[in-house]
Amino acid sequence: MALIQPSLSEDEKYLHLDAPNMPTLKVPINVNEIPKNEQKVIHTKVLGAAIDGMYCGKAAEDWLSTYFDKPNYKLIHLDNLQPRILTKDREIGKLGKKGDVLAYQNDTAYMMIGEASLKDLNGKLDNPLTMQQFRPNFVISGTTAFQEDDWKELRINDVSLRHVKYCHRCLVTTVDPETGIMHGKTEPLRTLRRYRKCSPDSPQKSIYKDSPLFGVNFGVDVMGEVHVGDTIYAYID
């Protein structure tokens, strides 16, 4: 899955998926453009929480099933269906606030990592990694390593973001995004566990357990537009 590359068409009407040895899949963003006889709701779960999605059509199912060489892979789109409510999450619900919603993300819609944080980690690894390995929405510069950990609220133009939790990392970070091959020694998790684990006496230890922390998950209080190069204003509690 790491080798599937999504992109948006120039007219922003289609999701394109590309993968090695596969033709480009063109999926309409407007689910009403999918053949009428294929329009249906799919029931699924994310981390044990029930959520629905609009079926994106047989063409998408056939493309995914061919790529993974297994049948019945389906692409779904939340569209106007009911999202997950973060405060109802059995593990991290207490960290959210009223109005926080999710689609198919694990924890929040946005995650931020500083370039200095990655540089600090790479200084401890035999083979440096790129930021792509960690898949953040926001990459920041001009800070010290892990300075983003202390930011409780952010403002970027008119957008307001709020710290929800630290991002506890899983085995997906050990997959090389260029090859799709998992690292044989489970790096970078092995190194991160040496210095980026939750404190044993933290009230959030039950959430993070022994998972290493790298990146910060943010919720959105005020929506708007952001651009590459924008200045970030941070509030530190």
Side-chain angles (χ1 to χ4, degrees), residues 216-228:
V216 181
N217 293 120
F218 284 90
V220 181
D221 287 334
V222 179
M223 298 179 66
E225 280 193 12
V226 298
H227 309 89
V228 174

Side-chain angles (χ1 to χ4, degrees), residues 48-61:
I51 187 169
D52 294 336
M54 293 299 299
Y55 180 58
C56 290
K58 185 135 187 337
E61 179 176 346

Side-chain angles (χ1 to χ4, degrees), residues 24-70:
T24 297
L25 174 66
K26 185 178 179 181
V27 182
I29 301 296
N30 184 349
V31 292
N32 290 322
E33 293 186 19
I34 293 169
K36 292 288 186 183
N37 65 328
E38 297 180 14
Q39 294 181 19
K40 59 183 178 180
V41 175
I42 299 292
H43 307 291
T44 188
K45 290 185 177 181
V46 175
L47 299 177
I51 187 169
D52 294 336
M54 293 299 299
Y55 180 58
C56 290
K58 185 135 187 337
E61 179 176 346
D62 289 345
W63 191 94
L64 290 169
S65 298
T66 298
Y67 178 67
F68 291 119
D69 196 25
K70 291 182 180 179

Side-chain angles (χ1 to χ4, degrees), residues 104-138:
Y104 310 115
Q105 309 94 332
N106 278 16
D107 299 325
T108 67
Y110 298 100
M111 194 258 289
M112 178 179 291
I113 298 176
E115 290 180 340
S117 303
L118 179 60
K119 182 178 180 181
D120 181 272
L121 171 60
N122 278 336
K124 298 173 173 61
L125 297 172
D126 293 333
N127 299 301
L129 305 176
T130 67
M131 195 65 81
Q132 189 179 358
Q133 197 106 357
F134 300 97
R135 310 174 313 283
N137 308 87
F138 293 100

Side-chain angles (χ1 to χ4, degrees), residues 159-191:
V159 175
S160 179
L161 302 173
R162 165 180 36 86
H163 175 115
V164 174
K165 59 178 288 293
Y166 303 108
C167 188
H168 49 315
R169 310 313 302 230
C170 67
L171 281 172
V172 174
T173 61
T174 69
V175 177
D176 187 328
E178 298 297 327
T179 65
I181 297 173
M182 184 176 289
H183 192 284
K185 296 183 178 179
T186 64
E187 290 290 13
L189 296 181
R190 175 182 289 186
T191 296

